[in-house]
Amino acid sequence: MKTDQDQVTRNLLQFCYHCEDAHLCTTEEACKACWAENGWYEPEAEAAGAEETRQLLQFYYA
């Protein structure tokens, strides 16, 4: 199971590596705010997608 830290690490590698302002994000909250501002991070959409996947898997294997 993925943890929130796994998500942050993946996003750091994906979104912050080439960002010229990455040095300004000194906390996880600042990173998440930057990602959300740029449309790169939508925890609600991710949670909805995870729930949909869980339901589909239950349907297929139940």
Side-chain angles (χ1 to χ4, degrees):
M1 180 173 176
K2 270 191 148 176
T3 63
D4 288 335
Q5 186 61 40
D6 291 337
Q7 181 66 33
V8 171
T9 302
R10 184 177 65 115
N11 285 339
L12 280 170
L13 291 171
Q14 184 176 357
F15 303 127
C16 296
Y17 184 74
H18 299 288
C19 180
E20 293 178 8
D21 296 327
H23 66 282
L24 301 174
C25 295
T26 56
T27 65
E28 181 179 322
E29 290 77 25
C31 289
K32 286 183 177 181
C34 179
W35 301 334
E37 182 179 306
N38 289 291
W40 299 328
Y41 180 69
E42 298 177 19
E44 297 83 19
E46 184 177 351
E51 177 61 23
E52 182 179 359
T53 300
R54 186 186 66 76
Q55 289 176 354
L56 284 170
L57 287 172
Q58 282 184 338
F59 175 75
Y60 291 138
Y61 297 108

Short mmCIF file of all heavy atoms in Angstrom, two decimals:
data_model
loop_
_atom_site.label_atom_id
_atom_site.label_comp_id
_atom_site.label_asym_id
_atom_site.label_seq_id
_atom_site.Cartn_x
_atom_site.Cartn_y
_atom_site.Cartn_z
N MET A 1 0.83 -1.18 0.00
CA MET A 1 0.00 0.00 0.00
C MET A 1 0.87 1.24 0.00
O MET A 1 1.84 1.33 0.73
CB MET A 1 -0.89 -0.03 1.24
CG MET A 1 -1.79 1.15 1.34
SD MET A 1 -2.93 0.89 2.72
CE MET A 1 -3.76 2.42 2.66
N LYS A 2 0.52 2.19 -0.84
CA LYS A 2 1.29 3.43 -0.91
C LYS A 2 0.97 4.34 0.26
O LYS A 2 -0.18 4.46 0.66
CB LYS A 2 0.94 4.18 -2.19
CG LYS A 2 1.80 3.82 -3.33
CD LYS A 2 1.57 4.77 -4.44
CE LYS A 2 2.87 4.89 -5.13
NZ LYS A 2 2.86 5.68 -6.29
N THR A 3 1.99 4.99 0.76
CA THR A 3 1.78 5.96 1.82
C THR A 3 1.84 7.35 1.23
O THR A 3 2.25 7.55 0.08
CB THR A 3 2.88 5.83 2.89
OG1 THR A 3 4.14 6.13 2.29
CG2 THR A 3 2.91 4.43 3.49
N ASP A 4 1.44 8.34 2.03
CA ASP A 4 1.51 9.72 1.57
C ASP A 4 2.96 10.11 1.26
O ASP A 4 3.22 10.86 0.34
CB ASP A 4 0.94 10.67 2.62
CG ASP A 4 -0.56 10.57 2.72
OD1 ASP A 4 -1.20 10.17 1.73
OD2 ASP A 4 -1.11 10.91 3.79
N GLN A 5 3.88 9.56 2.04
CA GLN A 5 5.30 9.86 1.80
C GLN A 5 5.75 9.35 0.44
O GLN A 5 6.52 10.00 -0.26
CB GLN A 5 6.19 9.29 2.90
CG GLN A 5 7.64 9.70 2.78
CD GLN A 5 7.84 11.21 2.87
OE1 GLN A 5 7.21 11.88 3.66
NE2 GLN A 5 8.70 11.73 2.04
N ASP A 6 5.24 8.18 0.02
CA ASP A 6 5.57 7.67 -1.30
C ASP A 6 5.08 8.63 -2.38
O ASP A 6 5.77 8.88 -3.37
CB ASP A 6 4.91 6.31 -1.55
CG ASP A 6 5.49 5.21 -0.69
OD1 ASP A 6 6.63 5.34 -0.23
OD2 ASP A 6 4.78 4.21 -0.48
N GLN A 7 3.89 9.18 -2.19
CA GLN A 7 3.33 10.13 -3.14
C GLN A 7 4.19 11.39 -3.21
O GLN A 7 4.49 11.89 -4.28
CB GLN A 7 1.89 10.50 -2.76
CG GLN A 7 1.22 11.46 -3.72
CD GLN A 7 0.99 10.87 -5.09
OE1 GLN A 7 0.75 9.68 -5.22
NE2 GLN A 7 1.08 11.67 -6.11
N VAL A 8 4.58 11.90 -2.04
CA VAL A 8 5.40 13.10 -2.01
C VAL A 8 6.73 12.84 -2.69
O VAL A 8 7.20 13.64 -3.50
CB VAL A 8 5.61 13.60 -0.56
CG1 VAL A 8 6.64 14.71 -0.51
CG2 VAL A 8 4.29 14.08 0.02
N THR A 9 7.36 11.71 -2.40
CA THR A 9 8.65 11.38 -3.01
C THR A 9 8.52 11.29 -4.53
O THR A 9 9.34 11.83 -5.26
CB THR A 9 9.19 10.06 -2.45
OG1 THR A 9 9.32 10.20 -1.04
CG2 THR A 9 10.53 9.72 -3.05
N ARG A 10 7.48 10.64 -5.00
CA ARG A 10 7.27 10.51 -6.45
C ARG A 10 7.07 11.90 -7.07
O ARG A 10 7.65 12.21 -8.11
CB ARG A 10 6.06 9.63 -6.72
CG ARG A 10 5.82 9.38 -8.20
CD ARG A 10 4.65 8.45 -8.38
NE ARG A 10 3.42 9.08 -7.92
CZ ARG A 10 2.41 9.38 -8.72
NH1 ARG A 10 2.45 9.08 -9.98
NH2 ARG A 10 1.35 9.96 -8.24
N ASN A 11 6.28 12.74 -6.42
CA ASN A 11 6.05 14.09 -6.93
C ASN A 11 7.31 14.93 -6.88
O ASN A 11 7.56 15.72 -7.80
CB ASN A 11 4.92 14.77 -6.16
CG ASN A 11 3.56 14.25 -6.55
OD1 ASN A 11 3.39 13.67 -7.62
ND2 ASN A 11 2.58 14.44 -5.71
N LEU A 12 8.10 14.79 -5.82
CA LEU A 12 9.36 15.53 -5.75
C LEU A 12 10.24 15.19 -6.94
O LEU A 12 10.80 16.06 -7.60
CB LEU A 12 10.11 15.23 -4.46
CG LEU A 12 9.65 15.95 -3.21
CD1 LEU A 12 10.32 15.36 -1.98
CD2 LEU A 12 9.95 17.43 -3.31
N LEU A 13 10.36 13.91 -7.23
CA LEU A 13 11.19 13.48 -8.35
C LEU A 13 10.62 13.95 -9.68
O LEU A 13 11.34 14.35 -10.59
CB LEU A 13 11.34 11.96 -8.35
CG LEU A 13 12.16 11.39 -7.21
CD1 LEU A 13 12.04 9.87 -7.20
CD2 LEU A 13 13.61 11.81 -7.33
N GLN A 14 9.30 13.93 -9.80
CA GLN A 14 8.66 14.25 -11.07
C GLN A 14 8.57 15.75 -11.31
O GLN A 14 8.82 16.22 -12.42
CB GLN A 14 7.27 13.63 -11.10
CG GLN A 14 6.55 13.81 -12.42
CD GLN A 14 5.21 13.08 -12.41
OE1 GLN A 14 4.84 12.42 -11.46
NE2 GLN A 14 4.48 13.23 -13.49
N PHE A 15 8.21 16.51 -10.28
CA PHE A 15 7.89 17.92 -10.49
C PHE A 15 8.95 18.90 -10.02
O PHE A 15 9.05 19.99 -10.55
CB PHE A 15 6.57 18.27 -9.80
CG PHE A 15 5.42 17.42 -10.24
CD1 PHE A 15 4.64 16.77 -9.32
CD2 PHE A 15 5.11 17.28 -11.59
CE1 PHE A 15 3.58 15.98 -9.71
CE2 PHE A 15 4.05 16.49 -11.99
CZ PHE A 15 3.28 15.85 -11.05
N CYS A 16 9.72 18.55 -9.03
CA CYS A 16 10.66 19.50 -8.44
C CYS A 16 12.05 19.44 -9.06
O CYS A 16 12.83 20.38 -8.92
CB CYS A 16 10.76 19.29 -6.94
SG CYS A 16 9.23 19.61 -6.07
N TYR A 17 12.36 18.36 -9.70
CA TYR A 17 13.73 18.16 -10.20
C TYR A 17 14.16 19.29 -11.13
O TYR A 17 15.26 19.80 -11.04
CB TYR A 17 13.82 16.81 -10.91
CG TYR A 17 15.22 16.49 -11.38
CD1 TYR A 17 16.20 16.13 -10.47
CD2 TYR A 17 15.56 16.57 -12.72
CE1 TYR A 17 17.49 15.84 -10.88
CE2 TYR A 17 16.84 16.28 -13.14
CZ TYR A 17 17.80 15.92 -12.22
OH TYR A 17 19.07 15.65 -12.64
N HIS A 18 13.27 19.71 -12.02
CA HIS A 18 13.61 20.75 -13.00
C HIS A 18 13.10 22.14 -12.63
O HIS A 18 13.28 23.08 -13.39
CB HIS A 18 13.06 20.38 -14.38
CG HIS A 18 13.63 19.11 -14.90
ND1 HIS A 18 14.91 19.01 -15.34
CD2 HIS A 18 13.10 17.88 -15.02
CE1 HIS A 18 15.15 17.77 -15.74
NE2 HIS A 18 14.06 17.06 -15.55
N CYS A 19 12.46 22.26 -11.49
CA CYS A 19 11.88 23.53 -11.07
C CYS A 19 12.96 24.50 -10.61
O CYS A 19 13.77 24.18 -9.74
CB CYS A 19 10.87 23.30 -9.95
SG CYS A 19 10.09 24.82 -9.38
N GLU A 20 12.96 25.68 -11.19
CA GLU A 20 13.95 26.69 -10.80
C GLU A 20 13.70 27.24 -9.41
O GLU A 20 14.60 27.80 -8.79
CB GLU A 20 13.95 27.82 -11.82
CG GLU A 20 14.44 27.40 -13.18
CD GLU A 20 14.39 28.52 -14.21
OE1 GLU A 20 14.11 29.68 -13.82
OE2 GLU A 20 14.64 28.24 -15.38
N ASP A 21 12.47 27.10 -8.91
CA ASP A 21 12.13 27.61 -7.59
C ASP A 21 12.07 26.52 -6.53
O ASP A 21 11.54 26.73 -5.44
CB ASP A 21 10.77 28.32 -7.65
CG ASP A 21 10.80 29.55 -8.54
OD1 ASP A 21 11.87 30.20 -8.58
OD2 ASP A 21 9.79 29.85 -9.18
N ALA A 22 12.60 25.34 -6.83
CA ALA A 22 12.53 24.22 -5.89
C ALA A 22 13.17 24.56 -4.55
O ALA A 22 12.71 24.09 -3.52
CB ALA A 22 13.20 22.99 -6.50
N HIS A 23 14.17 25.40 -4.55
CA HIS A 23 14.84 25.76 -3.30
C HIS A 23 13.92 26.56 -2.37
O HIS A 23 14.18 26.65 -1.17
CB HIS A 23 16.11 26.56 -3.59
CG HIS A 23 15.85 27.89 -4.21
ND1 HIS A 23 15.54 28.02 -5.55
CD2 HIS A 23 15.83 29.13 -3.69
CE1 HIS A 23 15.35 29.30 -5.82
NE2 HIS A 23 15.52 30.00 -4.71
N LEU A 24 12.85 27.12 -2.89
CA LEU A 24 11.92 27.89 -2.07
C LEU A 24 10.96 27.00 -1.27
O LEU A 24 10.41 27.44 -0.28
CB LEU A 24 11.10 28.84 -2.96
CG LEU A 24 11.92 29.86 -3.76
CD1 LEU A 24 11.02 30.63 -4.69
CD2 LEU A 24 12.68 30.78 -2.83
N CYS A 25 10.79 25.77 -1.71
CA CYS A 25 9.91 24.83 -1.02
C CYS A 25 10.73 24.09 0.03
O CYS A 25 11.45 23.15 -0.28
CB CYS A 25 9.28 23.85 -2.01
SG CYS A 25 8.18 24.64 -3.18
N THR A 26 10.59 24.54 1.26
CA THR A 26 11.40 23.97 2.33
C THR A 26 10.65 22.95 3.17
O THR A 26 11.24 22.29 4.01
CB THR A 26 11.95 25.07 3.24
OG1 THR A 26 10.85 25.84 3.75
CG2 THR A 26 12.89 25.99 2.46
N THR A 27 9.33 22.84 2.96
CA THR A 27 8.54 21.88 3.72
C THR A 27 7.66 21.08 2.76
O THR A 27 7.43 21.50 1.62
CB THR A 27 7.62 22.57 4.75
OG1 THR A 27 6.66 23.36 4.05
CG2 THR A 27 8.42 23.45 5.70
N GLU A 28 7.17 19.97 3.24
CA GLU A 28 6.26 19.14 2.45
C GLU A 28 5.00 19.93 2.10
O GLU A 28 4.50 19.84 0.98
CB GLU A 28 5.90 17.89 3.25
CG GLU A 28 4.98 16.95 2.55
CD GLU A 28 4.69 15.71 3.38
OE1 GLU A 28 5.60 15.22 4.06
OE2 GLU A 28 3.54 15.26 3.33
N GLU A 29 4.50 20.71 3.04
CA GLU A 29 3.29 21.51 2.80
C GLU A 29 3.52 22.53 1.70
O GLU A 29 2.65 22.78 0.87
CB GLU A 29 2.84 22.21 4.09
CG GLU A 29 2.28 21.27 5.13
CD GLU A 29 3.37 20.50 5.87
OE1 GLU A 29 4.53 20.98 5.94
OE2 GLU A 29 3.07 19.41 6.36
N ALA A 30 4.70 23.16 1.68
CA ALA A 30 5.03 24.13 0.63
C ALA A 30 5.09 23.44 -0.73
O ALA A 30 4.61 23.98 -1.73
CB ALA A 30 6.35 24.82 0.94
N CYS A 31 5.65 22.24 -0.76
CA CYS A 31 5.71 21.48 -2.01
C CYS A 31 4.31 21.15 -2.51
O CYS A 31 3.98 21.36 -3.67
CB CYS A 31 6.50 20.19 -1.83
SG CYS A 31 8.27 20.42 -1.63
N LYS A 32 3.47 20.66 -1.61
CA LYS A 32 2.11 20.30 -2.00
C LYS A 32 1.33 21.52 -2.47
O LYS A 32 0.56 21.44 -3.43
CB LYS A 32 1.38 19.61 -0.85
CG LYS A 32 1.86 18.20 -0.61
CD LYS A 32 1.07 17.53 0.48
CE LYS A 32 1.49 16.09 0.68
NZ LYS A 32 0.72 15.42 1.71
N ALA A 33 1.53 22.66 -1.81
CA ALA A 33 0.85 23.89 -2.24
C ALA A 33 1.32 24.31 -3.63
O ALA A 33 0.50 24.70 -4.47
CB ALA A 33 1.12 25.01 -1.23
N CYS A 34 2.60 24.20 -3.90
CA CYS A 34 3.15 24.52 -5.23
C CYS A 34 2.58 23.58 -6.28
O CYS A 34 2.16 24.02 -7.35
CB CYS A 34 4.67 24.44 -5.19
SG CYS A 34 5.46 24.79 -6.79
N TRP A 35 2.56 22.30 -5.98
CA TRP A 35 2.02 21.32 -6.93
C TRP A 35 0.56 21.60 -7.23
O TRP A 35 0.13 21.56 -8.37
CB TRP A 35 2.17 19.90 -6.41
CG TRP A 35 3.58 19.48 -6.12
CD1 TRP A 35 4.72 19.97 -6.69
CD2 TRP A 35 4.00 18.50 -5.19
NE1 TRP A 35 5.82 19.34 -6.17
CE2 TRP A 35 5.41 18.44 -5.24
CE3 TRP A 35 3.33 17.68 -4.31
CZ2 TRP A 35 6.15 17.57 -4.45
CZ3 TRP A 35 4.07 16.82 -3.51
CH2 TRP A 35 5.47 16.76 -3.60
N ALA A 36 -0.21 21.88 -6.17
CA ALA A 36 -1.64 22.16 -6.35
C ALA A 36 -1.84 23.43 -7.17
O ALA A 36 -2.71 23.48 -8.05
CB ALA A 36 -2.32 22.26 -5.00
N GLU A 37 -1.03 24.44 -6.90
CA GLU A 37 -1.12 25.71 -7.62
C GLU A 37 -0.86 25.51 -9.11
O GLU A 37 -1.46 26.17 -9.95
CB GLU A 37 -0.10 26.69 -7.04
CG GLU A 37 -0.12 28.06 -7.66
CD GLU A 37 0.89 28.98 -7.00
OE1 GLU A 37 0.86 29.11 -5.77
OE2 GLU A 37 1.73 29.53 -7.74
N ASN A 38 0.02 24.60 -9.44
CA ASN A 38 0.37 24.34 -10.83
C ASN A 38 -0.45 23.22 -11.45
O ASN A 38 -0.21 22.84 -12.60
CB ASN A 38 1.86 24.02 -10.93
CG ASN A 38 2.71 25.24 -10.70
OD1 ASN A 38 2.72 26.15 -11.51
ND2 ASN A 38 3.40 25.29 -9.56
N GLY A 39 -1.40 22.65 -10.69
CA GLY A 39 -2.26 21.61 -11.21
C GLY A 39 -1.61 20.25 -11.31
O GLY A 39 -2.06 19.38 -12.04
N TRP A 40 -0.55 20.04 -10.53
CA TRP A 40 0.18 18.77 -10.58
C TRP A 40 -0.26 17.79 -9.51
O TRP A 40 0.10 16.63 -9.54
CB TRP A 40 1.68 19.00 -10.42
CG TRP A 40 2.29 19.84 -11.47
CD1 TRP A 40 1.92 19.93 -12.78
CD2 TRP A 40 3.39 20.73 -11.31
NE1 TRP A 40 2.73 20.81 -13.43
CE2 TRP A 40 3.64 21.32 -12.55
CE3 TRP A 40 4.19 21.08 -10.23
CZ2 TRP A 40 4.66 22.24 -12.75
CZ3 TRP A 40 5.19 21.98 -10.43
CH2 TRP A 40 5.42 22.56 -11.68
N TYR A 41 -0.98 18.28 -8.51
CA TYR A 41 -1.32 17.44 -7.36
C TYR A 41 -2.76 17.69 -6.97
O TYR A 41 -3.13 18.81 -6.62
CB TYR A 41 -0.39 17.77 -6.19
CG TYR A 41 -0.63 16.97 -4.94
CD1 TYR A 41 -0.34 15.62 -4.90
CD2 TYR A 41 -1.12 17.58 -3.79
CE1 TYR A 41 -0.54 14.89 -3.75
CE2 TYR A 41 -1.31 16.85 -2.63
CZ TYR A 41 -1.02 15.51 -2.62
OH TYR A 41 -1.20 14.79 -1.47
N GLU A 42 -3.56 16.66 -7.07
CA GLU A 42 -4.96 16.75 -6.68
C GLU A 42 -5.30 15.55 -5.80
O GLU A 42 -5.70 14.50 -6.30
CB GLU A 42 -5.86 16.77 -7.92
CG GLU A 42 -5.61 17.96 -8.82
CD GLU A 42 -6.44 17.92 -10.08
OE1 GLU A 42 -7.44 17.20 -10.13
OE2 GLU A 42 -6.06 18.61 -11.02
N PRO A 43 -5.09 15.69 -4.49
CA PRO A 43 -5.32 14.55 -3.60
C PRO A 43 -6.74 14.02 -3.66
O PRO A 43 -6.96 12.82 -3.54
CB PRO A 43 -4.98 15.08 -2.21
CG PRO A 43 -4.85 16.55 -2.34
CD PRO A 43 -4.68 16.88 -3.78
N GLU A 44 -7.72 14.89 -3.89
CA GLU A 44 -9.11 14.42 -3.97
C GLU A 44 -9.30 13.54 -5.19
O GLU A 44 -9.96 12.50 -5.13
CB GLU A 44 -10.08 15.61 -4.03
CG GLU A 44 -10.06 16.48 -2.79
CD GLU A 44 -8.94 17.50 -2.78
OE1 GLU A 44 -8.39 17.81 -3.85
OE2 GLU A 44 -8.60 17.98 -1.69
N ALA A 45 -8.73 13.94 -6.32
CA ALA A 45 -8.84 13.15 -7.54
C ALA A 45 -8.12 11.82 -7.39
O ALA A 45 -8.60 10.78 -7.84
CB ALA A 45 -8.28 13.92 -8.72
N GLU A 46 -6.98 11.84 -6.73
CA GLU A 46 -6.23 10.61 -6.50
C GLU A 46 -7.02 9.66 -5.61
O GLU A 46 -7.10 8.46 -5.87
CB GLU A 46 -4.88 10.92 -5.87
CG GLU A 46 -4.03 9.69 -5.70
CD GLU A 46 -2.66 10.01 -5.14
OE1 GLU A 46 -2.31 11.19 -5.04
OE2 GLU A 46 -1.96 9.06 -4.79
N ALA A 47 -7.63 10.20 -4.57
CA ALA A 47 -8.42 9.37 -3.66
C ALA A 47 -9.63 8.78 -4.40
O ALA A 47 -9.97 7.61 -4.21
CB ALA A 47 -8.87 10.18 -2.46
N ALA A 48 -10.26 9.58 -5.25
CA ALA A 48 -11.41 9.09 -6.02
C ALA A 48 -10.97 7.98 -6.97
O ALA A 48 -11.67 6.98 -7.13
CB ALA A 48 -12.05 10.24 -6.78
N GLY A 49 -9.82 8.16 -7.60
CA GLY A 49 -9.31 7.13 -8.51
C GLY A 49 -8.96 5.85 -7.78
O GLY A 49 -9.22 4.75 -8.28
N ALA A 50 -8.41 5.98 -6.59
CA ALA A 50 -8.08 4.81 -5.79
C ALA A 50 -9.35 4.07 -5.38
O ALA A 50 -9.39 2.83 -5.41
CB ALA A 50 -7.27 5.21 -4.56
N GLU A 51 -10.38 4.80 -5.03
CA GLU A 51 -11.64 4.18 -4.65
C GLU A 51 -12.27 3.47 -5.84
O GLU A 51 -12.77 2.36 -5.73
CB GLU A 51 -12.61 5.23 -4.09
CG GLU A 51 -13.97 4.68 -3.72
CD GLU A 51 -13.93 3.60 -2.65
OE1 GLU A 51 -12.97 3.53 -1.87
OE2 GLU A 51 -14.89 2.81 -2.60
N GLU A 52 -12.22 4.09 -7.00
CA GLU A 52 -12.76 3.46 -8.21
C GLU A 52 -12.01 2.17 -8.53
O GLU A 52 -12.62 1.14 -8.85
CB GLU A 52 -12.67 4.42 -9.39
CG GLU A 52 -13.24 3.87 -10.67
CD GLU A 52 -13.16 4.85 -11.83
OE1 GLU A 52 -12.67 5.97 -11.65
OE2 GLU A 52 -13.58 4.47 -12.93
N THR A 53 -10.70 2.20 -8.41
CA THR A 53 -9.89 1.01 -8.65
C THR A 53 -10.23 -0.09 -7.66
O THR A 53 -10.38 -1.25 -8.03
CB THR A 53 -8.39 1.35 -8.55
OG1 THR A 53 -8.09 2.35 -9.53
CG2 THR A 53 -7.52 0.13 -8.78
N ARG A 54 -10.39 0.27 -6.39
CA ARG A 54 -10.74 -0.70 -5.36
C ARG A 54 -12.08 -1.36 -5.68
O ARG A 54 -12.23 -2.58 -5.61
CB ARG A 54 -10.80 -0.03 -3.99
CG ARG A 54 -11.03 -1.01 -2.84
CD ARG A 54 -11.24 -0.29 -1.51
NE ARG A 54 -12.48 0.49 -1.49
CZ ARG A 54 -13.71 -0.04 -1.35
NH1 ARG A 54 -13.86 -1.33 -1.23
NH2 ARG A 54 -14.76 0.73 -1.33
N GLN A 55 -13.05 -0.55 -6.10
CA GLN A 55 -14.37 -1.09 -6.43
C GLN A 55 -14.31 -2.02 -7.64
O GLN A 55 -14.94 -3.07 -7.65
CB GLN A 55 -15.35 0.05 -6.69
CG GLN A 55 -15.74 0.80 -5.44
CD GLN A 55 -16.63 1.99 -5.74
OE1 GLN A 55 -16.88 2.32 -6.90
NE2 GLN A 55 -17.10 2.64 -4.69
N LEU A 56 -13.55 -1.63 -8.65
CA LEU A 56 -13.41 -2.49 -9.83
C LEU A 56 -12.75 -3.82 -9.48
O LEU A 56 -13.18 -4.88 -9.94
CB LEU A 56 -12.61 -1.79 -10.92
CG LEU A 56 -13.34 -0.71 -11.69
CD1 LEU A 56 -12.37 0.08 -12.56
CD2 LEU A 56 -14.45 -1.30 -12.53
N LEU A 57 -11.71 -3.78 -8.66
CA LEU A 57 -11.04 -5.01 -8.26
C LEU A 57 -11.97 -5.90 -7.45
O LEU A 57 -11.96 -7.12 -7.63
CB LEU A 57 -9.78 -4.69 -7.48
CG LEU A 57 -8.62 -4.13 -8.32
CD1 LEU A 57 -7.50 -3.67 -7.41
CD2 LEU A 57 -8.13 -5.15 -9.31
N GLN A 58 -12.76 -5.31 -6.58
CA GLN A 58 -13.73 -6.10 -5.82
C GLN A 58 -14.75 -6.72 -6.76
O GLN A 58 -15.15 -7.87 -6.58
CB GLN A 58 -14.44 -5.23 -4.79
CG GLN A 58 -13.61 -4.96 -3.57
CD GLN A 58 -14.38 -4.18 -2.52
OE1 GLN A 58 -15.36 -3.50 -2.80
NE2 GLN A 58 -13.91 -4.27 -1.28
N PHE A 59 -15.18 -5.99 -7.76
CA PHE A 59 -16.14 -6.51 -8.73
C PHE A 59 -15.56 -7.69 -9.50
O PHE A 59 -16.21 -8.71 -9.68
CB PHE A 59 -16.57 -5.40 -9.68
CG PHE A 59 -17.47 -5.87 -10.78
CD1 PHE A 59 -18.82 -6.15 -10.53
CD2 PHE A 59 -17.00 -6.04 -12.08
CE1 PHE A 59 -19.65 -6.57 -11.54
CE2 PHE A 59 -17.81 -6.47 -13.08
CZ PHE A 59 -19.15 -6.74 -12.83
N TYR A 60 -14.31 -7.54 -9.95
CA TYR A 60 -13.69 -8.59 -10.76
C TYR A 60 -13.39 -9.86 -9.95
O TYR A 60 -13.51 -10.96 -10.46
CB TYR A 60 -12.38 -8.10 -11.37
CG TYR A 60 -12.55 -7.03 -12.42
CD1 TYR A 60 -11.70 -5.93 -12.46
CD2 TYR A 60 -13.54 -7.10 -13.38
CE1 TYR A 60 -11.84 -4.95 -13.42
CE2 TYR A 60 -13.70 -6.10 -14.34
CZ TYR A 60 -12.85 -5.04 -14.36
OH TYR A 60 -12.99 -4.08 -15.30
N TYR A 61 -12.96 -9.68 -8.71
CA TYR A 61 -12.48 -10.83 -7.94
C TYR A 61 -13.42 -11.28 -6.84
O TYR A 61 -13.11 -12.24 -6.14
CB TYR A 61 -11.10 -10.51 -7.36
CG TYR A 61 -10.07 -10.29 -8.44
CD1 TYR A 61 -9.57 -9.03 -8.71
CD2 TYR A 61 -9.63 -11.36 -9.21
CE1 TYR A 61 -8.65 -8.84 -9.72
CE2 TYR A 61 -8.71 -11.17 -10.22
CZ TYR A 61 -8.22 -9.91 -10.47
OH TYR A 61 -7.31 -9.72 -11.45
N ALA A 62 -14.55 -10.64 -6.69
CA ALA A 62 -15.48 -11.04 -5.62
C ALA A 62 -16.38 -12.17 -6.05
O ALA A 62 -16.55 -12.57 -7.11
CB ALA A 62 -16.32 -9.85 -5.19
#
